[in-house]
């Protein structure tokens, strides 16, 4: 007889969720109305995935850089990193989205034109206009900046969790700082970093819905447009929620499986 705890740990919630997902999929396939709603809303899946993946990759790169700055030997670098993290984390993502879209982008265009004015006068460059910076990329940059502050803290905690004795041993072997990070620190830190980093990725999938306020044609925006024209709010937003649940739960399960695999490899 297996212990009671193993029975309690069986993911019955997942069985129920999969059963509901299959039932909804069958219902959507057999209903003309829901099939039409799904076909319309699903057009935004590609944009949602694109925004999420690009923003996450950029945020991870920037976040790693901020984390390394925060642990550098320079007090100035540490203070700059701390300032960035605290300020960005203190601003709601939606507010940051509006600020980047309607303040940051025009400021960037003005600065670019000022810096490249001699080249523009020489005919080498054309003048950059605000409308040349698409709302899609403004949204991506806002999500990138917002999540880079959170991801930097994930990297910092993971790197600092590595035993200092191993770093000292690597120093004694004559490894440079870059070699110590690449060969010793990061491979061990990734096991600590991966779970919260995966959580941030799933959270970013959900927060990508905020780009709809700029008219970016993601899942939420496609749902808003369809619901506004058909007044089928219940059907439309039920399908929108269904698609997001499929994406987020699927990603969570995949990340959990990857985490368990890395854990088993570490134990071997």
């Amino acid at each position: 007889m297996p212990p009671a705890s193993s029975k309690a740990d069986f993911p019955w919630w997942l069985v129920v969720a999969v059963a509901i997902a299959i039932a909804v999929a069958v219902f959507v396939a057999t209903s003309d109305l829901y099939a039409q709603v799904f076909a319309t809303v699903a057009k935004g899946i590609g944009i949602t995935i694109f925004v999420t993946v690009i923003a996450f990759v950029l945020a991870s790169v920037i976040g790693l850089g901020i984390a390394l700055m925060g642990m550098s030997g320079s007090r100035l670098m540490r203070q700059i990193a701390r300032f960035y993290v605290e300020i960005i984390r203190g601003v709601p993502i939606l507010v940051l989205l509006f600020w980047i879209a309607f303040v940051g982008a025009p400021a960037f265009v003005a600065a670019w034109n000022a810096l490249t004015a001699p080249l523009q006068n020489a005919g080498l460059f054309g003048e950059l206009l605000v409308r040349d910076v698409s709302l899609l990329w403004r949204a991506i940059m806002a999500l990138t900046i917002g999540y880079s502050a959170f991801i930097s803290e994930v990297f910092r905690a993971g790197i600092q969790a590595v035993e200092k004795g191993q770093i000292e041993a690597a120093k004694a072997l004559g490894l440079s700082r870059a070699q110590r990070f690449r060969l010793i620190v990061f491979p061990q830190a990734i096991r600590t970093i991966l779970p919260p980093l995966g959580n941030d990725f799933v959270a970013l999938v959900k927060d990508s819905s905020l780009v709809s306020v700029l008219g970016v044609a993601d899942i939420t925006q496609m749902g808003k447009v369809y619901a506004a024209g058909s007044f089928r709010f219940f059907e439309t937003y039920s399908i929108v929620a269904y698609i997001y649940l499929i994406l987020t739960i699927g990603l969570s399960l995949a990340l959990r499986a990857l985490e368990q695999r890395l854990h088993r490899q570490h134990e071997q």
Side-chain angles (χ1 to χ4, degrees), residues 219 236-246:
I219 295 171
T236 301
Y237 287 111
S238 295
I239 293 296
V240 169
Y242 174 72
I243 293 175
Y244 275 114
L245 282 171
I246 294 296

Side-chain angles (χ1 to χ4, degrees), residues 138-212:
R138 299 186 206 187
I140 289 174
M141 290 312 302
L143 291 174
T144 296
I145 293 171
Y147 268 81
S148 65
F150 293 97
I151 290 176
S152 71
E153 290 295 276
V154 172
F155 278 118
R156 181 186 61 80
I159 293 171
Q160 289 181 339
V162 178
E163 295 181 9
K164 292 183 178 180
Q166 299 192 37
I167 300 175
E168 294 299 326
K171 287 182 180 179
L173 292 173
L175 296 180
S176 67
R177 187 168 186 174
Q179 289 175 324
R180 293 197 301 270
F181 179 78
R182 181 169 55 88
L183 300 175
I184 306 298
V185 176
F186 194 74
Q188 297 183 69
I190 193 63
R191 290 192 294 270
T192 305
I193 291 169
L194 186 61
L197 198 62
N199 291 337
D200 281 342
F201 184 68
V202 174
L204 184 54
V205 172
K206 294 184 289 184
D207 280 345
S208 68
S209 63
L210 296 174
V211 305
S212 63

Side-chain angles (χ1 to χ4, degrees), residues 17 38 74 202 243 254 262:
F38 184 86
S74 169
V202 174
I243 293 175
L262 290 175

Side-chain angles (χ1 to χ4, degrees), residues 37-263:
V37 175
F38 184 86
T40 302
V41 173
K43 294 177 182 177
I45 294 177
I47 292 295
T48 293
I49 294 174
F50 177 79
V51 168
T52 301
V53 171
I54 298 300
F56 184 78
V57 171
L58 294 176
S60 297
V61 173
I62 295 174
L64 179 58
I66 296 297
L68 294 177
M69 285 177 60
M71 294 182 293
S72 72
S74 169
R75 180 180 298 178
L76 176 61
M77 288 295 179
R78 293 197 302 271
Q79 292 298 317
I80 291 174
R82 195 75 255 158
F83 177 84
Y84 179 89
V85 170
E86 297 299 335
I87 295 300
I88 297 300
R89 289 201 306 175
V91 179
I93 295 293
L94 183 59
V95 175
L96 187 62
L97 196 69
F98 283 129
W99 195 92
I100 294 296
F102 302 117
V103 179
F108 169 78
V109 169
W112 174 265
N113 287 330
L115 291 173
T116 61
L119 298 176
Q120 292 178 20
N121 295 333
L124 299 177
F125 280 123
E127 182 181 5
L128 183 65
L129 303 176
V130 175
R131 64 172 178 265
D132 294 330
V133 183
S134 70
L135 290 172
L136 173 63
W137 282 102
R138 299 186 206 187
I140 289 174
M141 290 312 302
L143 291 174
T144 296
I145 293 171
Y147 268 81
S148 65
F150 293 97
I151 290 176
S152 71
E153 290 295 276
V154 172
F155 278 118
R156 181 186 61 80
I159 293 171
Q160 289 181 339
V162 178
E163 295 181 9
K164 292 183 178 180
Q166 299 192 37
I167 300 175
E168 294 299 326
K171 287 182 180 179
L173 292 173
L175 296 180
S176 67
R177 187 168 186 174
Q179 289 175 324
R180 293 197 301 270
F181 179 78
R182 181 169 55 88
L183 300 175
I184 306 298
V185 176
F186 194 74
Q188 297 183 69
I190 193 63
R191 290 192 294 270
T192 305
I193 291 169
L194 186 61
L197 198 62
N199 291 337
D200 281 342
F201 184 68
V202 174
L204 184 54
V205 172
K206 294 184 289 184
D207 280 345
S208 68
S209 63
L210 296 174
V211 305
S212 63
V213 301
L214 299 181
V216 177
D218 71 326
I219 295 171
T220 304
Q221 177 65 10
M222 298 304 294
K224 286 167 60 177
V225 171
Y226 185 87
S230 65
F231 296 98
R232 297 282 186 178
F233 295 99
F234 174 79
E235 296 86 348
T236 301
Y237 287 111
S238 295
I239 293 296
V240 169
Y242 174 72
I243 293 175
Y244 275 114
L245 282 171
I246 294 296
L247 290 174
T248 54
I249 293 177
L251 282 170
S252 295
L253 293 174
L255 291 168
R256 191 174 304 171
L258 177 61
E259 178 187 348
Q260 291 174 350
R261 182 179 177 183
L262 290 175
H263 182 70

